[in-house]
mmCIF file of all heavy atoms in Angstrom:
data_model
loop_
_atom_site.group_PDB
_atom_site.id
_atom_site.type_symbol
_atom_site.label_atom_id
_atom_site.label_comp_id
_atom_site.label_asym_id
_atom_site.label_seq_id
_atom_site.Cartn_x
_atom_site.Cartn_y
_atom_site.Cartn_z
ATOM 1 N N GLY J 219 6.508 -14.065 -10.409
ATOM 2 C CA GLY J 219 5.819 -14.567 -11.587
ATOM 3 C C GLY J 219 5.676 -16.075 -11.511
ATOM 4 O O GLY J 219 5.837 -16.692 -10.452
ATOM 5 N N ALA J 220 5.383 -16.687 -12.639
ATOM 6 C CA ALA J 220 5.133 -18.126 -12.655
ATOM 7 C C ALA J 220 6.338 -18.921 -12.154
ATOM 8 O O ALA J 220 6.185 -19.881 -11.383
ATOM 9 C CB ALA J 220 4.767 -18.568 -14.073
ATOM 10 N N GLY J 221 7.540 -18.531 -12.566
ATOM 11 C CA GLY J 221 8.730 -19.249 -12.130
ATOM 12 C C GLY J 221 8.962 -19.151 -10.642
ATOM 13 O O GLY J 221 9.308 -20.150 -9.983
ATOM 14 N N GLU J 222 8.761 -17.963 -10.092
ATOM 15 C CA GLU J 222 8.961 -17.767 -8.656
ATOM 16 C C GLU J 222 7.901 -18.525 -7.855
ATOM 17 O O GLU J 222 8.199 -19.111 -6.808
ATOM 18 C CB GLU J 222 8.914 -16.276 -8.322
ATOM 19 C CG GLU J 222 10.111 -15.475 -8.814
ATOM 20 C CD GLU J 222 10.100 -15.239 -10.315
ATOM 21 O OE1 GLU J 222 9.001 -15.281 -10.911
ATOM 22 O OE2 GLU J 222 11.182 -15.021 -10.890
ATOM 23 N N LEU J 223 6.676 -18.532 -8.341
ATOM 24 C CA LEU J 223 5.612 -19.257 -7.644
ATOM 25 C C LEU J 223 5.891 -20.759 -7.625
ATOM 26 O O LEU J 223 5.615 -21.446 -6.635
ATOM 27 C CB LEU J 223 4.266 -18.970 -8.300
ATOM 28 C CG LEU J 223 3.752 -17.528 -8.120
ATOM 29 C CD1 LEU J 223 2.562 -17.265 -9.041
ATOM 30 C CD2 LEU J 223 3.378 -17.256 -6.669
ATOM 31 N N ARG J 224 6.473 -21.280 -8.698
ATOM 32 C CA ARG J 224 6.817 -22.708 -8.726
ATOM 33 C C ARG J 224 7.905 -23.036 -7.715
ATOM 34 O O ARG J 224 7.975 -24.167 -7.197
ATOM 35 C CB ARG J 224 7.271 -23.117 -10.128
ATOM 36 C CG ARG J 224 6.115 -23.299 -11.121
ATOM 37 C CD ARG J 224 6.585 -24.014 -12.366
ATOM 38 N NE ARG J 224 7.552 -23.219 -13.114
ATOM 39 C CZ ARG J 224 7.225 -22.361 -14.076
ATOM 40 N NH1 ARG J 224 5.943 -22.183 -14.404
ATOM 41 N NH2 ARG J 224 8.159 -21.698 -14.720
ATOM 42 N N LEU J 225 8.766 -22.063 -7.416
ATOM 43 C CA LEU J 225 9.837 -22.294 -6.442
ATOM 44 C C LEU J 225 9.317 -22.360 -5.012
ATOM 45 O O LEU J 225 9.989 -22.921 -4.131
ATOM 46 C CB LEU J 225 10.897 -21.187 -6.546
ATOM 47 C CG LEU J 225 11.822 -21.207 -7.759
ATOM 48 C CD1 LEU J 225 12.719 -19.976 -7.762
ATOM 49 C CD2 LEU J 225 12.664 -22.478 -7.759
ATOM 50 N N MET J 226 8.173 -21.774 -4.768
ATOM 51 C CA MET J 226 7.632 -21.760 -3.411
ATOM 52 C C MET J 226 7.154 -23.151 -3.011
ATOM 53 O O MET J 226 6.733 -23.945 -3.852
ATOM 54 C CB MET J 226 6.499 -20.737 -3.299
ATOM 55 C CG MET J 226 6.960 -19.302 -3.489
ATOM 56 S SD MET J 226 5.617 -18.076 -3.398
ATOM 57 C CE MET J 226 5.188 -18.179 -1.648
ATOM 58 N N ARG J 227 7.213 -23.419 -1.718
ATOM 59 C CA ARG J 227 6.779 -24.714 -1.199
ATOM 60 C C ARG J 227 5.307 -24.963 -1.499
ATOM 61 O O ARG J 227 4.499 -24.032 -1.432
ATOM 62 C CB ARG J 227 6.976 -24.769 0.322
ATOM 63 C CG ARG J 227 8.399 -24.829 0.796
ATOM 64 C CD ARG J 227 8.421 -24.798 2.313
ATOM 65 N NE ARG J 227 9.762 -24.964 2.849
ATOM 66 C CZ ARG J 227 10.071 -24.884 4.130
ATOM 67 N NH1 ARG J 227 9.115 -24.636 5.027
ATOM 68 N NH2 ARG J 227 11.313 -25.056 4.533
ATOM 69 N N PRO J 228 4.924 -26.184 -1.797
ATOM 70 C CA PRO J 228 3.493 -26.492 -1.889
ATOM 71 C C PRO J 228 2.799 -26.128 -0.578
ATOM 72 O O PRO J 228 3.293 -26.453 0.507
ATOM 73 C CB PRO J 228 3.476 -28.008 -2.136
ATOM 74 C CG PRO J 228 4.797 -28.303 -2.754
ATOM 75 C CD PRO J 228 5.766 -27.345 -2.116
ATOM 76 N N ALA J 249 -1.626 -20.367 -10.344
ATOM 77 C CA ALA J 249 -1.038 -21.160 -9.266
ATOM 78 C C ALA J 249 -2.076 -21.540 -8.224
ATOM 79 O O ALA J 249 -2.050 -22.647 -7.672
ATOM 80 C CB ALA J 249 0.111 -20.385 -8.619
ATOM 81 N N HIS J 254 -1.243 -25.260 -6.055
ATOM 82 C CA HIS J 254 0.139 -25.291 -5.575
ATOM 83 C C HIS J 254 0.300 -24.488 -4.290
ATOM 84 O O HIS J 254 0.988 -24.931 -3.358
ATOM 85 C CB HIS J 254 1.081 -24.748 -6.655
ATOM 86 C CG HIS J 254 2.513 -24.674 -6.212
ATOM 87 N ND1 HIS J 254 3.235 -25.809 -5.892
ATOM 88 C CD2 HIS J 254 3.348 -23.625 -6.012
ATOM 89 C CE1 HIS J 254 4.467 -25.451 -5.523
ATOM 90 N NE2 HIS J 254 4.549 -24.133 -5.578
ATOM 91 N N LEU J 255 -0.324 -23.332 -4.211
ATOM 92 C CA LEU J 255 -0.211 -22.496 -3.024
ATOM 93 C C LEU J 255 -1.291 -22.848 -2.011
ATOM 94 O O LEU J 255 -2.388 -23.278 -2.363
ATOM 95 C CB LEU J 255 -0.340 -21.015 -3.401
ATOM 96 C CG LEU J 255 0.745 -20.406 -4.279
ATOM 97 C CD1 LEU J 255 0.447 -18.930 -4.527
ATOM 98 C CD2 LEU J 255 2.128 -20.565 -3.662
#
Side-chain angles (χ1 to χ4, degrees):
E222 289 74 24
L223 291 168
R224 283 194 295 269
L225 287 175
M226 295 179 69
R227 290 177 175 175
H254 177 64
L255 295 181

